Amino acid sequence: MRDTRESRLLLVLLIAIAFALITVDIRGGQESPVDGARQAAAAVFGPVENGVASAVDPIGNAIGAVRDSGERHNRIAALEQENAALKAKLGSDDRNRNRLRELDAMLKTAGAGQYGIKGAEVIAIGAAQGFSWTVTIDVGARDGIRRDMTVLNGSGLVGRVTTVGPSTSTVLLANDPDFTVGTRMEKTDELGFATGQGDRPLLVQLLNGKAKVKPGDRLVTFGSQADKPFVPGVPVGEVVRVDPAGGGLTRNIYVRPYVGFTKLDIVGVVVQAPRSDPRDMVLPQKPKPAPTVTVTVTPPPPDGQQAGQKPDQQGVKPQDQAQGRAQDQAQGQAQDQAQQPDQQNQQPQDQGEATP
């Protein structure tokens, strides 16, 4: 249609009629004068609408599926984030339980030795000024920490404090080559000096070259003057190897430390020494060996022999045994009868000898 003046007037007229019909339909309500026309139009165009809807439904379903797919993707992403958060929380709970066990073990060690300790957490490994075996803990001068204090955990000796800051401190670990501590052997009280060897066992030089030492023997700290840098009685480790005695003044042994220096977390700084030397009291009790039970196996009797039966009775039936006993009894009676005449003949002689 061309855009002419008549077409514009016709369009305006149709719009006006449409508004008029809408107004009449709304005011009429259920008795609208156009209701019949509406029903006629529905009867005519209803099948067409159904056909168009059936043709368009797959496309609409596809569009809805795409839209729902996006929602599902967002939901899956949200669930994955929630799962990751739950895993992180679970891991945190496991770590908290592990730290709780470490704290409990450290408190038991401190209680056994009567050490006054300040709990701390390892927050860094290694020192900035070198390649020593050191860790940094989160307590310092504000917490009452001083240089040359003993550091321990639930397993035993960790090291000593070497540098103190306002809120942090540096601890030289017992396995550092520059670390040396006086030791005492359990029970025998043999003295020595332990030196760190990195990731290898501690080297302990005993002052007595003829000391009797064997693998499995345990050592504790001997203690220092004024309890600095070491308090006495802290478990050090267990002997794993002993060098042969060469007749020298000293003797070398190798000790596996109780502390795992590569997995430190909760430690305690000894801020108050014990009133008396705990000696071996802090060492854990050794498990008692299981009793040895000797079992003697009795071999089964040979075929045909009952348990408790003598070898000469093998193969003898009960009837044969009864007959044998009857024969023995008959022979005994015959011997008694044979001896009776002799006794009768002897009686007169005995009487004659007795007559004066």
Side-chain angles (χ1 to χ4, degrees):
M1 177 181 292
R2 295 180 179 180
D3 186 11
T4 61
R5 183 177 180 181
E6 290 79 5
S7 62
R8 293 179 181 176
L9 292 175
L10 179 60
L11 179 60
V12 172
L13 181 61
L14 292 175
I15 293 173
I17 294 172
F19 276 108
L21 293 175
I22 293 172
T23 304
V24 172
D25 185 27
I26 293 174
R27 290 182 177 180
Q30 294 182 354
E31 297 179 357
S32 174
V34 296
D35 186 55
R38 184 186 296 111
Q39 292 179 359
V44 173
F45 294 104
V48 177
E49 290 175 350
N50 290 333
V52 173
S54 62
V56 174
D57 277 345
I59 300 176
N61 292 336
I63 295 174
V66 172
R67 183 179 61 254
D68 294 342
S69 175
E71 293 178 356
R72 292 192 188 97
H73 179 73
N74 295 334
R75 180 58 178 167
I76 291 173
L79 290 174
E80 288 178 350
Q81 293 178 357
E82 185 178 356
N83 190 23
L86 290 174
K87 288 182 177 179
K89 183 178 179 180
L90 181 61
S92 177
D93 291 342
D94 291 341
R95 183 170 182 269
N96 290 335
R97 283 192 292 268
N98 184 49
R99 299 181 71 187
L100 183 60
R101 287 193 296 268
E102 291 185 8
L103 179 60
D104 184 64
M106 184 180 67
L107 292 177
K108 289 181 179 179
T109 299
Q114 297 299 311
Y115 307 123
I117 63 172
K118 180 69 176 181
E121 179 183 359
V122 175
I123 58 176
I125 300 175
Q129 64 269 22
F131 298 95
S132 302
W133 288 77
T134 60
V135 295
T136 302
I137 56 178
D138 62 348
V139 291
R142 297 173 183 173
D143 305 290
I145 307 302
R146 300 290 182 267
R147 180 183 171 87
D148 288 336
M149 284 186 170
T150 307
V151 182
L152 53 79
N153 65 2
S155 300
L157 179 66
V158 173
R160 62 182 178 88
V161 177
T162 56
T163 306
V164 180
S167 58
T168 61
S169 302
T170 301
V171 179
L172 183 68
L173 301 181
N175 64 336
D176 188 270
D178 293 334
F179 186 95
T180 302
V181 58
T183 61
R184 182 198 299 273
M185 295 290 301
E186 181 186 13
K187 296 181 180 179
T188 63
D189 292 337
E190 294 288 349
L191 302 181
F193 293 95
T195 302
Q197 296 193 115
D199 55 359
R200 294 179 296 170
L202 304 176
L203 173 62
V204 179
Q205 192 175 50
L206 296 179
L207 300 182
N208 182 6
K210 299 180 180 180
K212 295 182 179 180
V213 188
K214 63 182 183 300
D217 290 345
R218 303 184 296 181
L219 296 86
V220 298
T221 56
F222 175 68
S224 306
Q225 185 176 5
D227 299 315
K228 287 187 177 182
F230 302 108
V231 293
V234 181
V236 175
E238 183 176 314
V239 177
V240 293
R241 184 164 65 90
V242 180
D243 281 351
L249 298 178
T250 60
R251 190 174 189 183
N252 293 337
I253 62 176
Y254 300 88
V255 175
R256 180 180 64 248
Y258 289 126
V259 174
F261 298 104
T262 59
K263 51 182 180 180
L264 293 173
D265 188 9
I266 302 297
V267 298
V269 182
V270 180
V271 295
Q272 183 178 358
R275 295 182 178 179
S276 59
D277 187 351
R279 302 182 74 85
D280 304 335
M281 295 177 58
V282 186
L283 287 170
Q285 294 183 357
K286 289 185 177 181
K288 296 181 180 180
T292 303
V293 179
T294 303
V295 179
T296 304
V297 179
T298 304
D303 297 340
Q305 179 180 353
Q306 298 180 356
Q309 188 178 6
K310 296 181 179 181
D312 56 358
Q313 295 178 352
Q314 298 181 9
V316 180
K317 297 180 180 180
Q319 298 177 356
D320 297 338
Q321 294 177 359
Q323 292 177 0
R325 288 194 293 270
Q327 292 176 1
D328 294 339
Q329 292 177 0
Q331 292 178 359
Q333 293 177 359
Q335 292 177 358
D336 294 339
Q337 292 176 0
Q339 292 175 356
Q340 289 178 359
D342 297 337
Q343 295 176 357
Q344 295 176 359
N345 295 330
Q346 292 175 359
Q347 290 177 357
Q349 296 178 0
D350 296 338
Q351 295 175 358
E353 294 175 355
T355 303

